[in-house]
Amino acid sequence: MITATTSPARSSWRGIALVLAVSTTLAGCATGPNPSDPYEKFNRQMFKFNDAVDRVALKPAATAYKQVLPTFVQTGVSNFFGNLSDLWTGANNLMQGKGQDGMSDLTRFALNSTFGLVGVLDIASEAGLHKHNEDFGQTLGAWGMPSGPYLMLPLLGPSTVRDTVVMPIDIAADPWAYKDPVNWRNVGTGVRAIDQRAAVLDASNLMEEAALDRYEFIRDGFLQRRLSRITDNGDQKIKFKKGAQQEGKQDNAPADAKAIKAAYPDDPGATAPAAGKPAAPGAAAPAAAAAAAPAAAASGSEAKSIRDAYSDDPGPTPVAGEAASPAAAAARKRAPAAKKPVPAAAVSSETPSK
C-alpha cells in the first residue's frame, strides 16, 4: 500500500494560497469610490476581523512579551529572524540591479550567521553594513509592474493585489519554512509574529488615539510607505520605464532651478529681445525699477543743488531710438535752465585788443 506524504511546508503554503485565492475572489465582488481601494467594503470587513483578533489575542500577547522578557532577549529574537530575512533581501536587491546593497545583505547574513551566533548578535550593523528590507513584490514594482488595488488580507494585514499574488514566493524563500520538527517551526512563527507586533506597539497605541478613521490611516500609510520602499525614497538605482534614463540627461540644471521650474510648469522662461530691437518699456527688472523710484521722488530743491554743484555736467544722454524716462523729463521741466559756461576761446576772441 502506497501512502501519499505531503511536507508540512507545502501544506502550509497550500493553506495560505487557498486563503489568498478566496480573499481575492471575494474582493472582486465589492467596489468602492476610491480608485486605489475599489474593494473598500470587503477590506473594511477584513479590517474589523483583524482588529478583533489583534485586540483579543495578538496585542495582549505582545504587551506581555514586551513587559516580561528582558530587552536583550527581545533584541536577540528580532536579530535572529531579521538575519534569516537578509538572505532573501539580498537576492531581491540583486534582481533589482542594486549590486552593492545585495552583496552587503549577503555579507550580513554570512557574518551574523557565523560570528553573530546564528544571527542573535547583529555584529554586521556594528561593522557598518546597513540592513535593508526587500521582497519579491518590491522587485516586481522596480521592474515596472503596477501594484494594483489595495487589499486587506485576513490575519496577514495590508497588502496589494501584486504583493498578494507573489506572497507564496516570499514564504517559500523564507529559510524558517523548512525548519524541522514542525512544532519548533510553529512556535517560531508565533514568536516572530508577537515580536513584530511588539515592535509597533507604541505606534499603534498612538494611532488609536489620534486617527479619526483608523482604516484610512492604515491604508494610506501602507501605500505611501510601500511606494517609498519600492523607489528607495526617490533614489532608485535602476529605471525600467522607457525614457527614465533620458529624463536625467536632458535637464542638467541645478537642483534649485529644477525645483523652481517644477513649481511653475507653465512659465516659458525669460525671452530675449530680437536683435536690433529695444526692450519693451515694461520689461525693466523689478530691482532696477525699485532702485530708480527714490531718485524720481527727489525734491526739486535737491535736484537743483546737485546740478549747481556740477554745472559742467550736461546730464544723462538718452540712447538713440529710446524714449526718455517720464520721471527724468518731468524733472527737467521743473528745474530752471542752467547757464552754459562760455568757452575761454570765445571770451578771448571777443575781447578788444588794445
Side-chain angles (χ1 to χ4, degrees):
M1 180 177 181
I2 300 175
T3 57
T5 59
T6 305
S7 64
R10 183 178 299 177
S11 300
S12 62
W13 300 338
R14 289 179 177 177
I16 293 174
L18 179 61
V19 171
L20 298 179
V22 173
S23 302
T24 306
T25 303
L26 293 177
C29 301
T31 58
N34 193 327
S36 63
D37 189 9
Y39 313 137
E40 183 173 354
K41 185 177 180 180
F42 168 80
N43 289 336
R44 285 187 178 272
Q45 294 176 354
M46 288 299 100
F47 175 76
K48 292 180 180 179
F49 171 76
N50 292 343
D51 188 60
V53 174
D54 180 73
R55 292 179 181 275
V56 172
L58 194 57
K59 185 176 180 179
T63 303
Y65 173 85
K66 193 171 183 179
Q67 293 177 351
V68 174
L69 291 181
T71 304
F72 71 91
V73 175
Q74 301 177 36
T75 303
V77 172
S78 179
N79 290 342
F80 174 78
F81 288 107
N83 180 59
L84 295 180
S85 66
D86 284 342
L87 189 60
W88 184 231
T89 293
N92 279 281
N93 270 328
L94 293 177
M95 286 187 288
Q96 295 176 29
K98 298 181 289 187
Q100 182 177 359
D101 291 344
M103 295 306 300
S104 175
D105 296 326
L106 297 180
T107 305
R108 279 181 55 88
F109 177 77
L111 192 61
N112 287 337
S113 299
T114 53
F115 298 100
L117 302 179
V118 201
V120 175
L121 302 178
D122 186 9
I123 61 176
S125 295
E126 299 294 334
L129 299 175
H130 301 289
K131 184 174 179 61
H132 306 99
N133 291 284
E134 303 286 338
D135 52 52
F136 196 62
Q138 292 174 241
T139 299
L140 293 181
W143 290 351
M145 177 179 291
S147 63
Y150 176 75
L151 193 60
M152 177 66 71
L153 302 178
L155 301 179
L156 299 177
S159 184
T160 61
V161 172
R162 178 197 62 206
D163 298 339
T164 300
V165 171
V166 301
M167 188 176 293
I169 298 178
D170 291 327
I171 296 175
D174 183 14
W176 190 256
Y178 304 94
K179 175 65 179 176
D180 288 325
V182 180
N183 294 336
W184 281 95
R185 184 193 312 155
N186 295 337
V187 171
T189 303
V191 171
R192 175 191 281 186
I194 294 174
D195 178 74
Q196 292 176 349
R197 182 63 180 88
V200 297
L201 192 59
D202 296 335
S204 64
N205 293 336
L206 181 62
M207 178 194 63
E208 292 174 0
E209 297 176 359
L212 299 178
D213 189 340
R214 293 176 58 241
Y215 170 79
E216 290 186 358
F217 186 87
I218 293 176
R219 178 195 64 195
D220 297 343
F222 171 80
L223 292 177
Q224 292 178 8
R225 180 173 179 269
R226 191 66 177 166
L227 179 62
S228 176
R229 292 178 62 179
I230 290 175
T231 60
D232 295 333
N233 296 320
D235 296 331
Q236 189 175 359
K237 296 180 178 59
I238 183 169
K239 304 290 185 181
F240 293 92
K241 294 182 179 181
K242 293 182 178 180
Q245 293 88 350
Q246 299 298 329
E247 181 180 356
K249 295 180 180 179
Q250 293 176 358
D251 192 359
N252 296 323
D256 295 342
K258 292 179 181 179
I260 296 174
K261 184 177 180 181
Y264 299 94
D266 298 332
D267 188 2
T271 303
K277 293 185 179 180
S299 63
S301 60
E302 294 176 351
K304 185 176 182 300
S305 63
I306 294 175
R307 283 194 298 273
D308 293 341
Y310 299 93
S311 57
D312 296 336
D313 186 3
T317 303
V319 181
E322 252 187 17
S325 171
R332 283 196 297 271
K333 288 181 180 180
R334 291 195 301 268
K339 294 183 179 180
K340 296 183 178 179
V342 180
V347 174
S348 60
S349 62
E350 292 179 0
T351 303
S353 58
K354 292 182 180 180

